[in-house]
Amino acid sequence: MVGQPEFAEGTLRELLLAIRGGFVLYRPVLVELTNLPRVSNSTLDHTITLVQSIEWSTPRALEYERHRAVILGPNTALASADVPITVGRSRRCDVRVGNESVSKVHCAFYANRDGSVDLVDSGARNGTFVDGLPIEPGQRRALWPGVHIALGDAVFVFLDPATLRQLARLTS
C-alpha cells in the first residue's frame, strides 16, 4: 500500500506515532529498558503493577517512550506457532541484543494460534526471567502485556499489538 507508515526499529514513541498514523502492527514488541537492574525495588514495583489495566500502563508508556522498541519478527499477519523468533547476540538471531550478558542464542518467542505468546529459554548462561522468576531451559512461559523479561542483565517490557494500539490512541 502506497503511503502506509513504516516502522522497523526505533523508540516506543516513534512506534506509537507510526501506529497512530496508520501503521498496522501484527507482532508483539519488546521495549528495552536501559539503566534498570534486573532485581531492584523499582523493577519489582513495576512488575507487580504491570498486570493491571491499560490505565496504569499509560504513565509507564510515557516513562518508556524514549526507549528502543523492537518488533518480534517479521510484521506479518501470518505468524506461525511452529517458527520461533530467536533473540540473542548472534547475527543469526531474528532480534539482536547488544549486551554481553545475553547469550548468542538466548531465548525464543512462539506465537500461538490463539494470539498468545510464549517464551522459551535456550539454555542461556545468565538465564531468562519473567517478572523476576527464572525459566528453566526448554520450558515455555506464557507472556502478557507489560510483563518484564530479563535476558541476563538486559531488561525488556513485552507489549502486544492490542495494548500498543490503545496506547497509540493516547499519544499526541
Side-chain angles (χ1 to χ4, degrees):
M1 172 185 276
V2 176
Q4 179 176 345
E6 294 291 325
F7 182 87
E9 184 177 322
T11 66
L12 176 58
R13 178 170 178 72
E14 291 166 343
L15 174 60
L16 294 175
L17 290 173
I19 292 169
R20 189 175 174 104
F23 175 69
V24 180
L25 181 67
Y26 296 104
R27 302 300 293 256
V29 169
L30 288 180
V31 177
E32 186 172 12
L33 304 183
T34 53
N35 303 321
L36 185 66
R38 181 174 64 209
V39 179
S40 72
N41 290 339
S42 172
T43 302
L44 292 176
D45 178 49
H46 289 193
T47 56
I48 289 168
T49 315
L50 278 170
V51 294
Q52 292 183 4
S53 68
I54 187 69
E55 289 79 24
W56 185 89
S57 294
T58 303
R60 291 291 172 238
L62 296 176
E63 179 182 336
Y64 301 151
E65 72 179 2
R66 288 185 169 40
H67 292 260
R68 175 178 169 237
V70 182
I71 298 173
L72 286 173
N75 189 40
T76 65
L78 304 172
S80 172
D82 302 332
V83 180
I85 302 299
T86 57
V87 178
R89 287 191 344 262
S90 171
R91 291 183 187 149
R92 295 185 335 238
C93 288
D94 299 302
V95 176
R96 292 188 61 204
V97 178
N99 182 313
E100 288 299 315
S101 71
V102 175
S103 294
K104 288 181 181 176
V105 180
H106 199 100
C107 64
F109 290 83
Y110 290 85
N112 300 311
R113 297 192 197 301
D114 65 359
S116 64
V117 176
D118 292 337
L119 176 62
V120 177
D121 180 272
S122 300
R125 75 179 184 281
N126 290 321
T128 302
F129 300 81
V130 173
D131 269 355
L133 301 174
I135 299 177
E136 295 297 321
Q139 176 188 8
R140 284 177 94 110
R141 180 73 54 90
L143 301 177
W144 60 92
V147 67
H148 277 81
I149 299 168
L151 312 178
D153 293 332
V155 181
F156 301 87
V157 172
F158 172 85
L159 295 171
D160 67 336
T163 300
L164 287 161
R165 283 190 292 274
Q166 287 180 309
L167 290 172
R169 283 190 287 254
L170 302 172
T171 302
S172 55

